[in-house]
PDB file of all heavy atoms in Angstrom:
ATOM      1  N   LYS A   3     -61.782 -31.115 -90.026  1.00 90.00           N
ATOM      2  CA  LYS A   3     -62.514 -32.350 -90.345  1.00 90.00           C
ATOM      3  C   LYS A   3     -61.499 -33.446 -90.616  1.00 90.00           C
ATOM      4  O   LYS A   3     -61.091 -33.651 -91.761  1.00 90.00           O
ATOM      5  CB  LYS A   3     -63.348 -32.120 -91.619  1.00 90.00           C
ATOM      6  CG  LYS A   3     -64.838 -32.011 -91.398  1.00 90.00           C
ATOM      7  CD  LYS A   3     -65.492 -31.999 -92.777  1.00 90.00           C
ATOM      8  CE  LYS A   3     -66.983 -32.103 -92.655  1.00 90.00           C
ATOM      9  NZ  LYS A   3     -67.611 -32.094 -94.000  1.00 90.00           N
ATOM     10  N   HIS A  18     -38.635 -40.374-113.145  1.00 73.00           N
ATOM     11  CA  HIS A  18     -39.897 -41.052-113.430  1.00 73.00           C
ATOM     12  C   HIS A  18     -41.093 -40.112-113.308  1.00 73.00           C
ATOM     13  O   HIS A  18     -42.217 -40.528-113.496  1.00 73.00           O
ATOM     14  CB  HIS A  18     -40.063 -42.289-112.543  1.00 73.00           C
ATOM     15  CG  HIS A  18     -39.251 -43.455-113.034  1.00 73.00           C
ATOM     16  ND1 HIS A  18     -39.499 -44.733-112.665  1.00 73.00           N
ATOM     17  CD2 HIS A  18     -38.202 -43.498-113.887  1.00 73.00           C
ATOM     18  CE1 HIS A  18     -38.615 -45.535-113.263  1.00 73.00           C
ATOM     19  NE2 HIS A  18     -37.825 -44.799-114.001  1.00 73.00           N
ATOM     20  N   HIS A  36     -52.174 -22.523-113.639  1.00 55.00           N
ATOM     21  CA  HIS A  36     -51.140 -22.836-114.608  1.00 55.00           C
ATOM     22  C   HIS A  36     -50.213 -21.643-114.822  1.00 55.00           C
ATOM     23  O   HIS A  36     -49.010 -21.789-114.963  1.00 55.00           O
ATOM     24  CB  HIS A  36     -51.777 -23.237-115.930  1.00 55.00           C
ATOM     25  CG  HIS A  36     -50.789 -23.803-116.893  1.00 55.00           C
ATOM     26  ND1 HIS A  36     -50.280 -25.066-116.751  1.00 55.00           N
ATOM     27  CD2 HIS A  36     -50.172 -23.256-117.967  1.00 55.00           C
ATOM     28  CE1 HIS A  36     -49.414 -25.293-117.718  1.00 55.00           C
ATOM     29  NE2 HIS A  36     -49.328 -24.203-118.465  1.00 55.00           N
ATOM     30  N   ASP A  45     -39.438 -28.491-105.791  1.00 47.00           N
ATOM     31  CA  ASP A  45     -37.971 -28.526-105.763  1.00 47.00           C
ATOM     32  C   ASP A  45     -37.497 -27.093-105.812  1.00 47.00           C
ATOM     33  O   ASP A  45     -37.257 -26.553-106.864  1.00 47.00           O
ATOM     34  CB  ASP A  45     -37.433 -29.221-107.030  1.00 47.00           C
ATOM     35  CG  ASP A  45     -37.627 -30.704-106.959  1.00 47.00           C
ATOM     36  OD1 ASP A  45     -38.016 -31.188-105.891  1.00 47.00           O
ATOM     37  OD2 ASP A  45     -37.383 -31.355-107.981  1.00 47.00           O
ATOM     38  N   LEU A  78     -49.368 -33.223 -99.302  1.00 91.00           N
ATOM     39  CA  LEU A  78     -48.347 -33.950-100.068  1.00 91.00           C
ATOM     40  C   LEU A  78     -46.988 -33.694 -99.419  1.00 91.00           C
ATOM     41  O   LEU A  78     -46.543 -32.556 -99.293  1.00 91.00           O
ATOM     42  CB  LEU A  78     -48.345 -33.448-101.514  1.00 91.00           C
ATOM     43  CG  LEU A  78     -47.157 -33.863-102.384  1.00 91.00           C
ATOM     44  CD1 LEU A  78     -46.996 -35.370-102.435  1.00 91.00           C
ATOM     45  CD2 LEU A  78     -47.340 -33.321-103.797  1.00 91.00           C
ATOM     46  N   THR A  81     -40.465 -36.381-100.804  1.00 76.00           N
ATOM     47  CA  THR A  81     -39.343 -37.106-100.195  1.00 76.00           C
ATOM     48  C   THR A  81     -38.101 -36.968-101.051  1.00 76.00           C
ATOM     49  O   THR A  81     -38.187 -36.919-102.269  1.00 76.00           O
ATOM     50  CB  THR A  81     -39.651 -38.618-100.094  1.00 76.00           C
ATOM     51  OG1 THR A  81     -40.015 -39.065-101.401  1.00 76.00           O
ATOM     52  CG2 THR A  81     -40.741 -38.890 -99.119  1.00 76.00           C
ATOM     53  N   CYS A  98     -46.998 -40.138 -93.071  1.00 94.00           N
ATOM     54  CA  CYS A  98     -48.107 -40.301 -94.029  1.00 94.00           C
ATOM     55  C   CYS A  98     -48.941 -41.551 -93.725  1.00 94.00           C
ATOM     56  O   CYS A  98     -48.486 -42.453 -93.024  1.00 94.00           O
ATOM     57  CB  CYS A  98     -47.564 -40.473 -95.439  1.00 94.00           C
ATOM     58  SG  CYS A  98     -46.561 -39.106 -95.996  1.00 94.00           S
ATOM     59  N   ASP A 124     -43.134 -50.907 -94.602  1.00 78.00           N
ATOM     60  CA  ASP A 124     -42.738 -51.040 -93.192  1.00 78.00           C
ATOM     61  C   ASP A 124     -43.513 -50.075 -92.314  1.00 78.00           C
ATOM     62  O   ASP A 124     -43.744 -50.325 -91.134  1.00 78.00           O
ATOM     63  CB  ASP A 124     -41.245 -50.729 -93.011  1.00 78.00           C
ATOM     64  CG  ASP A 124     -40.379 -51.829 -93.594  1.00 78.00           C
ATOM     65  OD1 ASP A 124     -40.925 -52.905 -93.902  1.00 78.00           O
ATOM     66  OD2 ASP A 124     -39.167 -51.596 -93.747  1.00 78.00           O
ATOM     67  N   LEU A 127     -48.012 -48.079 -94.836  1.00 92.00           N
ATOM     68  CA  LEU A 127     -48.670 -47.121 -95.717  1.00 92.00           C
ATOM     69  C   LEU A 127     -49.500 -47.840 -96.782  1.00 92.00           C
ATOM     70  O   LEU A 127     -49.137 -48.916 -97.236  1.00 92.00           O
ATOM     71  CB  LEU A 127     -47.621 -46.237 -96.423  1.00 92.00           C
ATOM     72  CG  LEU A 127     -47.330 -44.892 -95.776  1.00 92.00           C
ATOM     73  CD1 LEU A 127     -46.936 -45.053 -94.331  1.00 92.00           C
ATOM     74  CD2 LEU A 127     -46.249 -44.154 -96.547  1.00 92.00           C
ATOM     75  N   LEU A 220     -51.918 -27.953 -81.144  1.00 95.00           N
ATOM     76  CA  LEU A 220     -50.796 -27.071 -80.841  1.00 95.00           C
ATOM     77  C   LEU A 220     -51.148 -25.645 -81.261  1.00 95.00           C
ATOM     78  O   LEU A 220     -51.648 -25.410 -82.361  1.00 95.00           O
ATOM     79  CB  LEU A 220     -49.560 -27.549 -81.619  1.00 95.00           C
ATOM     80  CG  LEU A 220     -48.260 -26.762 -81.439  1.00 95.00           C
ATOM     81  CD1 LEU A 220     -47.797 -26.785 -79.989  1.00 95.00           C
ATOM     82  CD2 LEU A 220     -47.177 -27.348 -82.344  1.00 95.00           C
ATOM     83  N   ASP A 236     -40.896 -21.983 -76.650  1.00 96.00           N
ATOM     84  CA  ASP A 236     -42.242 -21.403 -76.662  1.00 96.00           C
ATOM     85  C   ASP A 236     -42.649 -21.168 -78.106  1.00 96.00           C
ATOM     86  O   ASP A 236     -41.937 -20.489 -78.860  1.00 96.00           O
ATOM     87  CB  ASP A 236     -42.246 -20.085 -75.895  1.00 96.00           C
ATOM     88  CG  ASP A 236     -42.000 -20.332 -74.413  1.00 96.00           C
ATOM     89  OD1 ASP A 236     -42.606 -21.281 -73.868  1.00 96.00           O
ATOM     90  OD2 ASP A 236     -41.182 -19.606 -73.799  1.00 96.00           O
ATOM     91  N   VAL A 240     -47.947 -21.138 -85.581  1.00 95.00           N
ATOM     92  CA  VAL A 240     -48.210 -22.424 -86.228  1.00 95.00           C
ATOM     93  C   VAL A 240     -49.057 -22.159 -87.463  1.00 95.00           C
ATOM     94  O   VAL A 240     -49.653 -21.085 -87.604  1.00 95.00           O
ATOM     95  CB  VAL A 240     -48.983 -23.408 -85.301  1.00 95.00           C
ATOM     96  CG1 VAL A 240     -48.131 -23.812 -84.109  1.00 95.00           C
ATOM     97  CG2 VAL A 240     -50.316 -22.808 -84.851  1.00 95.00           C
ATOM     98  N   GLY A 247     -46.081 -20.324 -99.573  1.00 75.00           N
ATOM     99  CA  GLY A 247     -45.556 -19.898 -98.288  1.00 75.00           C
ATOM    100  C   GLY A 247     -46.360 -20.458 -97.133  1.00 75.00           C
ATOM    101  O   GLY A 247     -47.133 -21.411 -97.276  1.00 75.00           O
ATOM    102  N   ALA A 256     -54.543 -32.678 -84.565  1.00 94.00           N
ATOM    103  CA  ALA A 256     -54.236 -34.065 -84.892  1.00 94.00           C
ATOM    104  C   ALA A 256     -54.648 -34.388 -86.322  1.00 94.00           C
ATOM    105  O   ALA A 256     -55.732 -34.011 -86.773  1.00 94.00           O
ATOM    106  CB  ALA A 256     -54.930 -35.005 -83.910  1.00 94.00           C
ATOM    107  N   GLY A 257     -53.791 -35.092 -87.025  1.00 94.00           N
ATOM    108  CA  GLY A 257     -54.073 -35.483 -88.399  1.00 94.00           C
ATOM    109  C   GLY A 257     -53.469 -34.535 -89.408  1.00 94.00           C
ATOM    110  O   GLY A 257     -53.254 -34.897 -90.558  1.00 94.00           O
ATOM    111  N   ALA A 326     -28.550 -30.250 -91.129  1.00 74.00           N
ATOM    112  CA  ALA A 326     -27.986 -30.746 -89.880  1.00 74.00           C
ATOM    113  C   ALA A 326     -27.057 -31.930 -90.114  1.00 74.00           C
ATOM    114  O   ALA A 326     -26.241 -32.267 -89.266  1.00 74.00           O
ATOM    115  CB  ALA A 326     -29.102 -31.136 -88.923  1.00 74.00           C
ATOM    116  N   GLU A 333      -9.255 -28.438 -89.819  1.00 92.00           N
ATOM    117  CA  GLU A 333      -8.057 -29.273 -89.883  1.00 92.00           C
ATOM    118  C   GLU A 333      -7.016 -28.495 -90.669  1.00 92.00           C
ATOM    119  O   GLU A 333      -7.313 -27.478 -91.292  1.00 92.00           O
ATOM    120  CB  GLU A 333      -8.324 -30.628 -90.552  1.00 92.00           C
ATOM    121  CG  GLU A 333      -8.559 -30.561 -92.036  1.00 92.00           C
ATOM    122  CD  GLU A 333      -8.577 -31.945 -92.700  1.00 92.00           C
ATOM    123  OE1 GLU A 333      -8.596 -32.972 -91.999  1.00 92.00           O
ATOM    124  OE2 GLU A 333      -8.583 -31.990 -93.932  1.00 92.00           O
ATOM    125  N   GLU A 362     -22.995 -20.509-104.316  1.00 87.00           N
ATOM    126  CA  GLU A 362     -23.694 -19.521-103.490  1.00 87.00           C
ATOM    127  C   GLU A 362     -22.729 -18.637-102.716  1.00 87.00           C
ATOM    128  O   GLU A 362     -23.084 -17.545-102.297  1.00 87.00           O
ATOM    129  CB  GLU A 362     -24.651 -20.229-102.516  1.00 87.00           C
ATOM    130  CG  GLU A 362     -25.774 -20.954-103.246  1.00 87.00           C
ATOM    131  CD  GLU A 362     -26.583 -21.865-102.326  1.00 87.00           C
ATOM    132  OE1 GLU A 362     -26.690 -21.554-101.120  1.00 87.00           O
ATOM    133  OE2 GLU A 362     -27.094 -22.888-102.826  1.00 87.00           O
ATOM    134  N   ASN A 393      -4.369 -39.897 -89.965  1.00 90.00           N
ATOM    135  CA  ASN A 393      -4.374 -40.577 -88.672  1.00 90.00           C
ATOM    136  C   ASN A 393      -4.194 -42.092 -88.786  1.00 90.00           C
ATOM    137  O   ASN A 393      -4.302 -42.811 -87.804  1.00 90.00           O
ATOM    138  CB  ASN A 393      -5.684 -40.274 -87.933  1.00 90.00           C
ATOM    139  CG  ASN A 393      -5.861 -38.783 -87.720  1.00 90.00           C
ATOM    140  OD1 ASN A 393      -4.883 -38.066 -87.576  1.00 90.00           O
ATOM    141  ND2 ASN A 393      -7.096 -38.313 -87.743  1.00 90.00           N
ATOM    142  N   CYS A 404     -10.234 -52.429 -90.368  1.00 95.00           N
ATOM    143  CA  CYS A 404     -11.556 -52.810 -90.861  1.00 95.00           C
ATOM    144  C   CYS A 404     -12.154 -51.672 -91.661  1.00 95.00           C
ATOM    145  O   CYS A 404     -11.875 -50.505 -91.411  1.00 95.00           O
ATOM    146  CB  CYS A 404     -12.506 -53.109 -89.706  1.00 95.00           C
ATOM    147  SG  CYS A 404     -11.847 -54.264 -88.515  1.00 95.00           S
ATOM    148  N   THR A 421     -22.232 -57.830-116.900  1.00 94.00           N
ATOM    149  CA  THR A 421     -21.450 -56.595-116.785  1.00 94.00           C
ATOM    150  C   THR A 421     -21.390 -56.128-115.338  1.00 94.00           C
ATOM    151  O   THR A 421     -20.346 -55.711-114.845  1.00 94.00           O
ATOM    152  CB  THR A 421     -22.151 -55.477-117.597  1.00 94.00           C
ATOM    153  OG1 THR A 421     -22.518 -56.027-118.841  1.00 94.00           O
ATOM    154  CG2 THR A 421     -21.264 -54.293-117.767  1.00 94.00           C
ATOM    155  N   VAL A 432     -18.838 -58.925-102.829  1.00 95.00           N
ATOM    156  CA  VAL A 432     -19.085 -60.346-102.581  1.00 95.00           C
ATOM    157  C   VAL A 432     -20.535 -60.627-102.949  1.00 95.00           C
ATOM    158  O   VAL A 432     -21.457 -60.005-102.420  1.00 95.00           O
ATOM    159  CB  VAL A 432     -18.829 -60.694-101.097  1.00 95.00           C
ATOM    160  CG1 VAL A 432     -19.201 -62.144-100.826  1.00 95.00           C
ATOM    161  CG2 VAL A 432     -17.386 -60.413-100.739  1.00 95.00           C
ATOM    162  N   TYR A 438     -34.639 -63.241-110.247  1.00 88.00           N
ATOM    163  CA  TYR A 438     -35.293 -62.693-111.429  1.00 88.00           C
ATOM    164  C   TYR A 438     -36.635 -62.175-110.982  1.00 88.00           C
ATOM    165  O   TYR A 438     -37.451 -62.941-110.466  1.00 88.00           O
ATOM    166  CB  TYR A 438     -35.456 -63.767-112.503  1.00 88.00           C
ATOM    167  CG  TYR A 438     -34.163 -64.023-113.224  1.00 88.00           C
ATOM    168  CD1 TYR A 438     -33.264 -64.972-112.772  1.00 88.00           C
ATOM    169  CD2 TYR A 438     -33.851 -63.258-114.357  1.00 88.00           C
ATOM    170  CE1 TYR A 438     -32.056 -65.163-113.433  1.00 88.00           C
ATOM    171  CE2 TYR A 438     -32.657 -63.466-115.022  1.00 88.00           C
ATOM    172  CZ  TYR A 438     -31.762 -64.420-114.551  1.00 88.00           C
ATOM    173  OH  TYR A 438     -30.576 -64.617-115.203  1.00 88.00           O
ATOM    174  N   HIS A 447     -27.839 -58.897-105.274  1.00 95.00           N
ATOM    175  CA  HIS A 447     -27.419 -58.461-103.940  1.00 95.00           C
ATOM    176  C   HIS A 447     -25.946 -58.697-103.760  1.00 95.00           C
ATOM    177  O   HIS A 447     -25.446 -59.786-104.015  1.00 95.00           O
ATOM    178  CB  HIS A 447     -28.201 -59.223-102.863  1.00 95.00           C
ATOM    179  CG  HIS A 447     -29.656 -58.888-102.879  1.00 95.00           C
ATOM    180  ND1 HIS A 447     -30.180 -57.852-102.160  1.00 95.00           N
ATOM    181  CD2 HIS A 447     -30.697 -59.444-103.566  1.00 95.00           C
ATOM    182  CE1 HIS A 447     -31.475 -57.770-102.405  1.00 95.00           C
ATOM    183  NE2 HIS A 447     -31.814 -58.722-103.250  1.00 95.00           N
ATOM    184  N   VAL A 541       8.400 -46.940-102.519  1.00 95.00           N
ATOM    185  CA  VAL A 541       7.807 -46.382-103.735  1.00 95.00           C
ATOM    186  C   VAL A 541       7.247 -47.502-104.605  1.00 95.00           C
ATOM    187  O   VAL A 541       7.935 -48.469-104.887  1.00 95.00           O
ATOM    188  CB  VAL A 541       8.847 -45.561-104.520  1.00 95.00           C
ATOM    189  CG1 VAL A 541       8.289 -45.122-105.864  1.00 95.00           C
ATOM    190  CG2 VAL A 541       9.286 -44.358-103.698  1.00 95.00           C
ATOM    191  N   GLU A 575       0.612 -13.736-112.164  1.00 80.00           N
ATOM    192  CA  GLU A 575      -0.816 -14.025-111.979  1.00 80.00           C
ATOM    193  C   GLU A 575      -1.064 -15.532-111.970  1.00 80.00           C
ATOM    194  O   GLU A 575      -1.754 -16.064-111.129  1.00 80.00           O
ATOM    195  CB  GLU A 575      -1.637 -13.398-113.114  1.00 80.00           C
ATOM    196  CG  GLU A 575      -2.076 -11.986-112.860  1.00 80.00           C
ATOM    197  CD  GLU A 575      -2.775 -11.829-111.516  1.00 80.00           C
ATOM    198  OE1 GLU A 575      -3.793 -12.511-111.286  1.00 80.00           O
ATOM    199  OE2 GLU A 575      -2.275 -11.033-110.689  1.00 80.00           O
ATOM    200  N   LYS A 577       0.806 -17.846-111.203  1.00 77.00           N
ATOM    201  CA  LYS A 577       1.304 -18.502-109.998  1.00 77.00           C
ATOM    202  C   LYS A 577       0.276 -18.499-108.887  1.00 77.00           C
ATOM    203  O   LYS A 577       0.292 -19.363-108.010  1.00 77.00           O
ATOM    204  CB  LYS A 577       2.564 -17.787-109.520  1.00 77.00           C
ATOM    205  CG  LYS A 577       3.760 -18.094-110.378  1.00 77.00           C
ATOM    206  CD  LYS A 577       4.909 -18.524-109.507  1.00 77.00           C
ATOM    207  CE  LYS A 577       6.019 -19.057-110.378  1.00 77.00           C
ATOM    208  NZ  LYS A 577       7.146 -19.522-109.595  1.00 77.00           N
ATOM    209  N   LYS A 578      -0.598 -17.501-108.921  1.00 75.00           N
ATOM    210  CA  LYS A 578      -1.615 -17.432-107.863  1.00 75.00           C
ATOM    211  C   LYS A 578      -2.577 -18.602-107.959  1.00 75.00           C
ATOM    212  O   LYS A 578      -3.284 -18.912-107.025  1.00 75.00           O
ATOM    213  CB  LYS A 578      -2.381 -16.112-107.964  1.00 75.00           C
ATOM    214  CG  LYS A 578      -1.542 -14.935-107.517  1.00 75.00           C
ATOM    215  CD  LYS A 578      -2.376 -13.679-107.405  1.00 75.00           C
ATOM    216  CE  LYS A 578      -1.464 -12.476-107.178  1.00 75.00           C
ATOM    217  NZ  LYS A 578      -2.054 -11.254-107.731  1.00 75.00           N
TER     218      LYS A 578
END
Side-chain angles (χ1 to χ4, degrees):
Chain A
K3 252 188 171 180
H18 282 199
H36 190 75
D45 285 351
L78 167 56
T81 54
C98 301
D124 289 347
L127 264 55
L220 180 61
D236 293 316
V240 294
E333 71 170 10
E362 295 170 30
N393 301 329
C404 309
T421 315
V432 175
Y438 283 90
H447 294 271
V541 173
E575 272 308 302
K577 286 231 170 182
K578 287 189 189 151

